[in-house]
Amino acid sequence: MPYLRFATGDRLRLDGEEMPGVVVSVEVEGENSVESLPREGKAGDVHVLRGYRDFRVRLTLRLAGPDPLAEARRLQAKFAKSKTEPLRVVHPHLAARGVEKALFARLVTREEGGEEGLYAVLELTQTEPREALKEANAAEEARLQGAIQGPVAGPPKEGAQAKRNPPQEPKPPRYVEAFVQGQQAALGLVGGGR
């Protein structure tokens, strides 16, 4: 897995190769996924937590070399190749927020009036490897299956009540037993019992 290593005030390194531009700022954004539901006849909404969104990482680079446009092209070409492959990101700020792997999401370049050079904003999205997602999904499904089955009715099998009242085979009523054994006379169906 390729790695992306950087430090604020220094160059970005992608798999050991030094990239153009100097990192001037690092921003990590994470948020809860909250759904607002209106309440009928009452003021205000009910807010329901639906989960967590992936972290977004924004790296702002200053491209101020002799040819900033060539640096922007080189940056675009390098990150266009790694669009589908996760990168292992190495930076203390990202590690503190729990971001270890990310995908290249977007590259924005901009010019500032009165300044030479360009700014490039490199945006990454946190990701997990497929194996970790499969394990997490399997564990969640096992937990849900346990919840679906639910508790078993009756006293616990090893409890005091179960010892006092041992389980017995349920018996049908006597008239049903007689009918099953062919004794219709016992039921009054044969011989004018009606």
Side-chain angles (χ1 to χ4, degrees):
M1 176 182 297
Y3 69 90
L4 181 66
R5 185 183 303 265
F6 58 95
T8 310
D10 199 0
R11 295 213 177 254
L12 201 64
R13 285 173 181 75
L14 180 60
D15 251 357
E17 182 183 343
E18 196 171 87
M19 301 307 298
V22 174
V23 179
V24 292
S25 72
V26 178
E27 180 182 346
V28 182
E29 176 186 290
E31 64 180 322
N32 295 338
S33 176
V34 178
E35 184 178 342
S36 297
L37 304 171
R39 294 188 299 177
E40 224 174 282
K42 295 185 180 179
D45 293 342
V46 175
H47 301 287
V48 180
L49 178 64
R50 295 288 184 200
Y52 307 95
R53 293 197 171 97
D54 291 332
F55 283 98
R56 304 284 285 182
V57 178
R58 284 183 206 85
L59 307 175
T60 304
L61 306 170
R62 175 130 169 83
L63 306 175
D67 188 1
L69 294 174
E71 289 182 354
R73 278 192 294 275
R74 184 170 165 232
L75 202 58
Q76 172 65 36
K78 189 65 176 180
F79 281 97
K81 290 180 184 176
S82 61
K83 280 185 181 174
T84 58
E85 189 174 9
L87 303 167
R88 182 174 301 280
V89 287
V90 182
H91 190 272
H93 182 168
L94 274 60
R97 297 291 301 270
V99 179
E100 296 176 2
K101 297 173 191 76
L103 279 172
F104 171 69
R106 175 167 88 148
L107 176 66
V108 178
T109 52
R110 72 173 189 267
E111 293 182 44
E112 301 264 333
E115 291 186 25
E116 287 188 22
L118 294 171
Y119 284 95
V121 179
L122 183 66
E123 199 167 290
L124 306 169
T125 301
Q126 176 190 19
T127 186
E128 289 295 325
R130 291 184 189 274
E131 296 78 29
L133 286 175
K134 282 181 186 175
E135 288 174 14
N137 288 342
E140 179 73 10
E141 186 159 338
R143 188 182 67 76
L144 287 175
Q145 287 300 324
I148 289 170
Q149 291 173 354
V152 177
K157 291 179 181 175
E158 289 81 30
Q161 185 178 357
K163 289 177 184 173
R164 284 192 309 270
N165 305 321
Q168 298 177 0
E169 189 70 31
K171 288 187 169 186
R174 285 187 12 203
Y175 68 89
V176 174
E177 283 182 354
F179 183 76
V180 170
Q181 294 172 1
Q183 299 174 356
Q184 286 89 3
L187 294 171
L189 298 175
V190 179
R194 283 187 149 194

